Amino acid sequence: MADRDELQAFTSMMDALVRISTSMKNMERELLCPVCKEMYKHPLILPCKHNVCQVCASEILLQRGYICDPNSEPNSPASSPVTRSPRMGRRVVPKQERLLKQGFGTYPGRKRGASHPPTVLFPCPPCQCDVDLGERGLGNLFRNLTLERVVERYRQTVNISSAIMCQFCKPPQLEATKGCTECRATFCNECFKLYHPWGTQKAQHEPTPPTLTFKPKGLMCPDHKEEVLLYCKTCQRLVCQICRVRRNHNGHKMTPIVSAYQALRDKLNKSLSYILGSQHIVQGQISDLEESMRQTEVSGARAQEEVLQLIGALRSALEEKQAALTRTIVERQKERHDVLEGQVWERQALLESSGLVSYTQEVMKETDQPCFVLAAKQIHERMQRAIEGVQSFRAADCAPLPPFKLDVSREMKLLTDLHFVRAPDAPVIDTQRTYAYDHIFLSWRLPQDSAPAWHYTVEFRKTDPKHKGLKLWQRQEEIWALSTVLEGPDTDSVYVLRVKGYNKAGYGEYSEDIYLHTPPAQVLNFFLDSSCGFPRDRLVVSKDKRAVRSVPGVPMLFAAERLMTSCHVSMELVLGDVAITQGQYYWECSVDPSSYVLKVGVGQESKLQELFQMPQDVASPSRYDPDSGHDSGAEDATLDLSPAFAFLTIGMGKILQPHGSPPNSRDPTGCTIPLPPRLGVCLDYEKGRVGFYDAVSHRSLWESSVDCSGPVCPAFCFIGGGALQLQELVSIKHERKVTIGGFTKAE
């Protein structure tokens, strides 16, 4: 049993050592200079928060034409001698000098302020861009002492530090046993006593363990050589007390270094705790990435095999076509050859040495007339046919096989344009046509150079600010059009939607997410009431009863004669064909920006008809204050009751700001705000409140009380010319419908 416990303890110890070794090896990547790829030696912190060795930075700036100013002082704690750094043996480098561009700097005889001194630009390897080091170059940078300590601890942990030799022993040198921060050197026991004699000031130097790098006790200001005690939040830089009173930091927010230390330490602890507590998440992401890498390899191999098969099929088709074309050429060649061979044989018979000519010559010797006639008749016919062939012979008759030409330009272009099928690009959502009303209408398009899509997939989910966890996406697939309707959204909610296309290459990228805010209440569907008795010669209602237009006509012309004394312009009223007696409802409308004066609101049907039974004057209607910006009927100071109606006044592309509205959205005139594309009206019958909204941004414009003791209906008033359009329901305007809640959840 004891042996088993010892074995388990040994195993646990070995596992711990392996973990420590692995952690150290992984940390080594953080300790390598991006220039020399070796461990940092005297690292400097660049303004971009990256580190670089002092020697490497000096070499890079020297290659860029910057030279060292020999009169400059070290910018921060003293550097160690040249012999302490193996890399410094390549050339003699000053401890740490201010680097300036050749031909510039402060020198005797130069007039101060004559020109702005040039700044030193350092090419940061990790950033791959130039970093401004200021006028003093490397002299303006702090030395990263913390990083030096980490490097030194790492060297001691992994046991890679080489033996440190005494710098003052005569050969052979002894191994150093002590170091001196004040002398910046390492000593053996005898040399330390020799160079620190008793009774001298050097005897007060405290010995330290030998090291390759001597670090000061604290950071010093590169400008004033004072200890840094403050942190400038504005510049995000350590400063000393002298820097604080200088003009460079005038008005900046300063904090003690202790406060900055504690704040950054707390932030770092919080970040580290989150990282350590999220190891399972990181491991899961690593597993997903590794699985993606494996899938990438499998997909790549499958794609290569598919390419080989397709190109092989093309090659087979070309070979079959080649065989067919070759066979056609051979057949045509044989036919032509037979025709030409027959013609050659016919003409060879006409030659002097041919059999026909010789035979004819022999027949000509016949003296027996009857026998001659019998034989000559047969020969004459053959000779006539031969003569006709000779006389009718053309050069084309002896032409060789007609040329066989293939026009493969189209096929070559197709082969040249043979590329992999691209998946569709991320669709672009049409924000002008996409909106949320009774349903959600989503419209999109593909970019101009995108590959075509066969169909689309729409994903959406409802955002819930009360719960930190994200809800799963709901999905609707195989949408063949460039728009869709999502039915049944919750009221006063925010939905996020996105779209992606699909073709033979697979799914493309998602579009950018779009957030849509649904109306605050149930949408009210109504029409304009054409039977309320308004003058038809001045108000024109569309056939679908969703739009109305006011024509000023003759009354406005007659009123022009009285403009110098008083203005009597009639106000026309249009009501909705529904009356609300309970619940909460919302509707939207669009007002023509060129309308003269138009009022949108609600009111008790009986009170409105009573008020507008006779044409009222704009100058003095019974319950209207033209300076209030809205009609509320609340100007009766003797009665503390809700008004019978409430209107929002609109005119010439502006909304007259009602009293009591927040002034943060007002324009410079202080009394109007721009007219949005759509206005929203929300009536809460039980609470007796009506609210007006910018239907696009869902920003509240104004809220008022209204008397709901009787039926309340939507109302619209016109003064002069104007036009208004009710927002059509999505369910009526568009046919493509998708019911929210009936989808499979995206995995």
Side-chain angles (χ1 to χ4, degrees), residues 658-672:
H659 291 326
S661 297
N664 53 2
S665 60
R666 299 185 178 187
D667 63 0
T669 61
C671 60
T672 61

Side-chain angles (χ1 to χ4, degrees), residues 42 56 121 141 169 176 273 284-285 367 451 468 498 516 536-537 549 580 586 648 680 689 717 727 731:
H42 303 287
C56 297
L121 299 178
L141 302 180
C169 284
S273 299
Q285 294 175 354
T367 57
K468 295 182 179 180
R498 63 186 186 183
L516 296 178
R536 300 181 182 277
D537 59 336
R549 181 168 53 90
I580 302 172
Y586 175 86
L648 189 70
R689 304 291 296 179
C717 300
Q727 180 64 45
S731 56

